[in-house]
Amino acid sequence: MTGQPPGAEPTASWRARPRGTAGGLPREVWTHPADDPRTDARPAPPPPAAPEPPDVWAPHPDPIDLPPPRPHTPARGPAPASAPVSREPSSRMAHAAAATAGLSIAGSVLGLVRDQGIAHFFGAGAESDAFLVAWTIPEIAATVLIEDAMALLMVPAFSAALARGEGPRALVRGTLPRLLAALALLTAALAAGAGGVVRVLAPGIADPATAAACTRLTALTVLTFGVAGYLSAGLRAHRRFAAPAAIYAAYNTGIVAVLFTLHGRFGVRAAAAGVAVGGVLMITTQLPSFRRVLKSSPARSAGPRRGNPLRLALLAPVVVFTLGRQAQVLVERFFAAPLPAGAISHLNYAEKVAQLPMALSVMIVTVTFPVLSRALADGDREQARRRVERDLALACLVVLLGTSYVIACAPQIIEVLFQRGEFTAVDTADTATVMRVYALGLLGQSLVGALVRPYFSAAGPTWYPAAAMGCGLVVTAVADAAAVGPWGAYGIAAGNALGITVTAALLLRGLGAHTVAVRVAAVAPRIGRIALAALCATAAGWVLAHRLADPAVAAGACAVAVPAVFAGAALAVRVPEVPYLLATVTRKGRP
């Protein structure tokens, strides 16, 4: 039959082709004639009105592209209303997301092994605190140079080059040499001034000499992470997700290998040396794929070149936002440094475990970011709006499910992961309480990661995200200062959660005025229903965890019960993403 799917242009001609079955019923896929290889590419005249396909409360999945998009030169002037919108099978997006999730989980597991090793060998005391102060540099470098600033700048730049029919060679020649020079200078400056860096970051730390020695080693990550982030951005824009997703597995492999081999001889400095080695492995993991992309690209530009994406006007807003976000860690460690030894370690371990659900949720927008950038580069704001709304809902679903598990089983999780060697039962209790407080801000963390991408995919620079992050940072600092006295590390974690939630609310409020007009009235009820399902799952997990004495058994039982209760509650309140995800997993629904 002919007609049009929901949300399609009213003048376009669409066809429904049978494609298997779903739940025992025939399943149809809506295609435009221009996208069907069996028909002529020219749009057909508008057909008579026909009924739309059956409406299910699972939303129509937007496509995620896996192979590199075919370059094209955009036509001059506004596109006609009947111009078809190119769509690719959403199964490719699911495959890309699954591969990215699998490799990300592998990296996270190795990260837990790393943290377990540090906790086992050094406990939660002066040595571990010294390393964690030095660890601040790779934490900031990862955020600025891999996950946020570099990706927010370079993924749109590579995507725009593809949209203009260009390969990446001209862009690489114009940006990479300058980037390498700047990163090398910054690395040298940090290594030379390591003692001063420690005094600024943690003025009351118990072992400043060890912290400075570790900082000199971790300073190398500024150079290696910068190169790794640049390669990741280029590969993601070309729909190559495997190598970028594998970098943290390689990174943590380097840390674990050096730590377990040399800790007896060099102490906690072995962990810092492992950080330096892991940064090099991040580069070597991606170089082969990036070289293949360069070799397969056109040798010359196919159109007029844009300005340098690393010029100050574009770079400054992104870097300021990213540094403001990472400054939350600096603020919490500043207030935690005068507390008894181990406070920084408790905050660190709690944050690392609690943020795993947030990392998985941000993985969704990492995979879809090139699609969003391409849509905005092509001027298709409607497709960009749908992409952002769907990303927000899916990210919230993932992070709130993880939040339920973290809050319900925090003591059992920490005991299973860390309580051995120098890490005592007292450390477990303190870390678990901090982790539960941290978890209150996971939704805000995930929303910030999802919302900031549309801002920096727009054509011109905007300072609004940096201003929103600045407001959130002020809230964090004020809350930490007020709460650290009566509540110690727990108050610091609460200030972090409050500040990032304020930032998320400001970013959501300003999105329509600066980039893509998201329908808040449509998105907010969906998030509210997901939160209700998460509340039911948290209560069920809490009851179950307290009824089982063995921590490993309790953690394992909750890992099954919490998602089951969450899914049941989400279906009961009609969260539209859940049936779609369940259908995708079981391969009985839409691809």
Side-chain angles (χ1 to χ4, degrees):
M1 77 181 179
T2 59
Q4 65 181 41
E9 296 83 357
T11 59
S13 176
W14 294 80
R15 298 179 183 177
R17 294 188 289 107
R19 189 171 176 181
T21 61
L25 299 175
R27 175 163 57 87
E28 295 175 330
V29 176
W30 289 87
T31 62
H32 195 283
D35 296 329
D36 192 341
R38 300 175 301 176
T39 64
D40 192 282
R42 293 169 296 179
E52 294 184 348
D55 183 23
V56 295
W57 41 283
H60 183 73
D62 291 328
I64 298 184
D65 309 309
L66 183 63
R70 291 186 298 272
H72 72 279
T73 304
R76 295 184 178 181
S82 60
V85 178
S86 174
R87 292 183 178 270
E88 296 191 25
S90 63
S91 60
R92 291 178 175 176
M93 176 179 284
H95 294 157
T100 301
L103 290 169
S104 299
I105 290 172
S108 298
V109 170
L110 287 168
L112 287 176
V113 174
R114 173 203 69 208
D115 292 341
Q116 286 175 331
I118 294 172
H120 177 73
F121 294 134
F122 310 110
E127 268 197 301
S128 62
D129 283 358
F131 169 74
L132 292 173
V133 170
W135 179 261
T136 304
I137 291 179
E139 279 187 313
I140 295 176
T143 303
V144 175
L145 300 175
I146 298 178
E147 300 303 333
D148 282 350
M150 187 70 74
L152 294 171
L153 286 168
M154 296 310 303
V155 169
F158 280 110
S159 298
L162 289 171
R164 297 193 301 271
E166 301 178 6
R169 295 188 183 184
L171 182 61
V172 171
R173 284 196 300 267
T175 56
L176 186 56
R178 299 177 186 178
L179 177 66
L180 289 174
L183 293 174
L185 287 174
L186 183 55
T187 298
L190 284 172
V197 171
V198 170
R199 287 191 293 272
V200 171
L201 294 178
I205 193 168
D207 190 355
T210 300
C214 292
T215 300
R216 293 186 186 95
L217 292 167
T218 59
L220 295 173
T221 58
V222 172
L223 177 60
T224 56
F225 282 20
V227 177
Y230 187 95
L231 300 179
S232 294
L235 290 172
R236 287 168 177 167
H238 285 79
R239 312 298 194 260
R240 305 289 196 268
F241 295 103
I247 60 175
Y248 286 110
Y251 172 61
N252 286 317
T253 298
I255 298 175
V256 169
V258 177
L259 172 64
F260 280 76
T261 303
L262 301 177
H263 74 275
R265 182 175 180 181
F266 297 105
V268 79
R269 292 174 177 83
V275 170
V277 172
V280 176
L281 294 179
M282 281 182 159
I283 299 174
T284 59
T285 298
Q286 299 180 98
L287 268 180
S289 296
F290 195 78
R291 291 180 64 183
R292 286 194 293 269
V293 166
L294 290 180
K295 287 181 179 180
S296 64
S297 64
R300 294 188 178 182
S301 171
R305 291 181 58 187
R306 284 188 173 183
N308 188 344
L310 296 179
R311 66 185 187 272
L312 185 61
L314 292 177
L315 186 65
V318 180
V319 171
V320 171
F321 165 80
T322 305
L323 290 176
R325 185 176 183 184
Q326 192 60 35
Q328 285 196 307
V329 177
L330 304 182
V331 169
E332 75 175 30
R333 289 182 181 169
F334 178 86
F335 284 106
L339 295 176
I344 294 178
S345 298
H346 297 151
L347 288 164
N348 174 76
Y349 294 133
E351 182 180 15
K352 290 293 184 294
V353 177
Q355 286 193 348
L356 287 177
M358 184 272 293
L360 289 176
S361 70
V362 173
M363 173 270 299
I364 296 171
V365 296
T366 298
V367 172
T368 62
F369 186 34
V371 180
L372 174 63
S373 297
R374 185 64 182 269
L376 289 173
D378 289 341
D380 191 349
R381 302 185 76 83
E382 178 60 22
Q383 183 182 0
R385 179 192 61 77
R386 292 195 302 268
R387 181 71 267 159
V388 172
E389 290 180 356
R390 183 161 177 77
D391 286 349
L392 288 176
L394 287 173
C396 289
L397 186 147
V398 172
V399 76
L400 286 176
L401 171 58
T403 301
S404 299
Y405 180 65
V406 166
I407 293 177
C409 304
Q412 292 81 6
I413 294 171
I414 297 300
E415 183 172 351
V416 170
L417 292 178
F418 298 117
Q419 189 173 315
R420 58 184 59 86
E422 298 295 325
F423 199 92
T424 66
V426 174
D427 295 323
T428 294
D430 290 341
T431 304
T433 305
V434 171
M435 188 166 75
R436 279 174 166 158
V437 179
Y438 259 133
L440 300 177
L442 289 181
L443 178 59
Q445 294 276 7
S446 183
L447 286 175
V448 169
L451 289 167
V452 74
R453 280 161 171 76
Y455 281 98
F456 293 125
S457 295
T462 174
W463 283 93
Y464 183 84
M469 192 68 247
C471 292
L473 186 61
V474 170
V475 171
T476 298
V478 172
D480 285 355
V484 68
W487 295 298
Y490 312 142
I492 293 174
N496 185 299
L498 179 61
I500 200 67
T501 302
V502 169
T503 301
L506 292 174
L507 289 175
L508 183 60
R509 184 178 184 276
L511 194 62
H514 293 85
T515 173
V516 178
V518 172
R519 299 170 302 174
V520 177
V523 173
R526 292 164 72 178
I527 296 176
R529 291 195 292 268
I530 296 171
L532 181 60
L535 185 62
C536 296
T538 302
W542 189 292
V543 172
L544 180 61
H546 282 75
R547 288 182 176 272
L548 298 174
D550 186 274
V553 173
C558 287
V560 176
V562 169
V565 174
F566 181 89
L571 288 170
V573 297
R574 301 178 69 84
V575 174
E577 286 73 25
V578 171
Y580 166 67
L581 290 176
L582 292 175
T584 300
V585 171
T586 58
R587 297 184 178 276
K588 292 181 180 179
R590 298 177 182 177

